[in-house]
Amino acid sequence: MRVIGLTGGVGAGKSLVLSILNKEYNAQVIKADEVARELMEPGKEGYELITKALGESILKPDGSIDRQILSKCIFQDDRIRKAVDEIIHPLVWKFIKGKISSSQEKLIVVEFAIMGEKADIGYDEMWYVYASEQVRIRRLFENRGYEKEHSERIMASQAAESEYLARCDRVIRNDGSIEEIRNQLAQILNNRGQRES
């Protein structure tokens, strides 16, 4: 089994890299964001702890967490972001560790956006998906409708490029074509012969 941690800033194009790894290399993909979302559903441990910490103002009428309100709170107030991170991150890594230990797959890729000591769950390698800030801002506008200012605020709340580079074993450059991404992955995984051209 090979376990790869895949990270990178918002808008870097991690989803494209994951899609290729999943479809062309049969990788089992685990997304930390999706795990966190699942853990914040009503009845789950994360939901209980978040609503206790932030109160009912973040809830929709049906009792579920309003993600837009939560997201706004997180990006506008560092204390709230830290409080939410301290609640959710340990639960996420515990869940992911369990998923990896029960998996039979040969290649597992765990995707997450936030660097941190708690994210270390025994990866064989850490990969950093890189794209320039201009490319990321353009993608976020085209794909999510984010204004430049909003994108810059999110980027500022994430790790600096130097931190990603210091902690990662490989850099996947994602500001070119899809074929360039495929070539980089084929080289890294030494799997050219089995890859569909």
Side-chain angles (χ1 to χ4, degrees):
M1 182 190 285
R2 187 174 181 182
V3 181
I4 291 162
L6 186 126
T7 189
V10 64
K14 297 184 293 294
S15 296
L16 172 64
V17 176
L18 290 171
S19 173
I20 294 169
L21 288 167
N22 176 247
K23 290 175 185 162
E24 300 179 21
Y25 295 93
N26 298 316
Q28 178 182 352
V29 170
I30 303 170
K31 296 182 180 184
D33 271 359
E34 285 181 6
V35 172
R37 217 169 286 144
E38 208 177 298
L39 292 170
M40 284 195 275
E41 306 245 317
K44 299 283 174 76
E45 191 180 355
Y47 174 90
E48 306 298 333
L49 293 169
I50 293 285
T51 50
K52 195 176 173 185
L54 302 182
E56 295 190 2
S57 61
I58 59 158
L59 299 181
K60 290 181 181 176
D62 67 0
S64 63
I65 291 172
D66 189 317
R67 303 205 177 277
Q68 282 188 317
I69 291 175
L70 182 61
S71 177
K72 208 173 179 182
C73 293
I74 286 168
F75 288 117
Q76 285 177 350
D77 190 329
D78 245 17
R79 288 167 308 170
I80 292 176
R81 181 175 62 81
K82 282 175 184 155
V84 170
D85 286 353
E86 280 170 20
I87 291 167
I88 292 298
H89 289 180
L91 297 176
V92 168
W93 302 126
K94 185 182 167 188
F95 181 91
I96 290 173
K97 274 182 180 176
K99 212 163 180 181
I100 290 169
S101 65
S102 65
S103 177
Q104 302 297 311
E105 299 300 326
K106 287 181 181 162
L107 180 62
I108 299 173
V109 183
V110 180
E111 182 262 329
F112 58 94
I114 297 166
M115 296 299 287
E117 301 304 328
K118 294 182 184 106
D120 183 16
I121 54 173
Y123 301 109
D124 295 305
E125 276 188 0
M126 286 276 289
W127 295 1
Y128 169 47
V129 180
Y130 167 84
S132 69
E133 198 170 297
Q134 297 92 316
V135 168
R136 290 162 64 196
I137 287 169
R138 192 193 72 228
R139 281 183 187 149
L140 289 168
F141 178 72
E142 288 171 357
N143 301 331
R144 303 187 201 178
Y146 289 178
E147 294 300 326
K148 186 171 186 264
E149 202 178 280
H150 184 60
S151 296
E152 285 173 342
R153 213 168 35 239
I154 297 172
M155 287 178 194
S157 76
Q158 295 185 326
E161 190 179 317
S162 57
E163 192 181 344
Y164 284 118
L165 292 170
R167 294 186 185 210
C168 293
D169 305 294
R170 297 185 188 272
V171 177
I172 313 287
R173 294 193 68 87
N174 190 14
D175 40 16
S177 68
I178 293 179
E179 206 47 48
E180 285 171 320
I181 293 282
R182 283 197 169 108
N183 290 338
Q184 289 176 76
L185 295 175
Q187 262 182 333
I188 292 168
L189 294 167
N190 296 319
N191 205 10
R192 283 185 184 274
Q194 292 173 38
R195 185 173 63 79
E196 289 178 16
S197 55

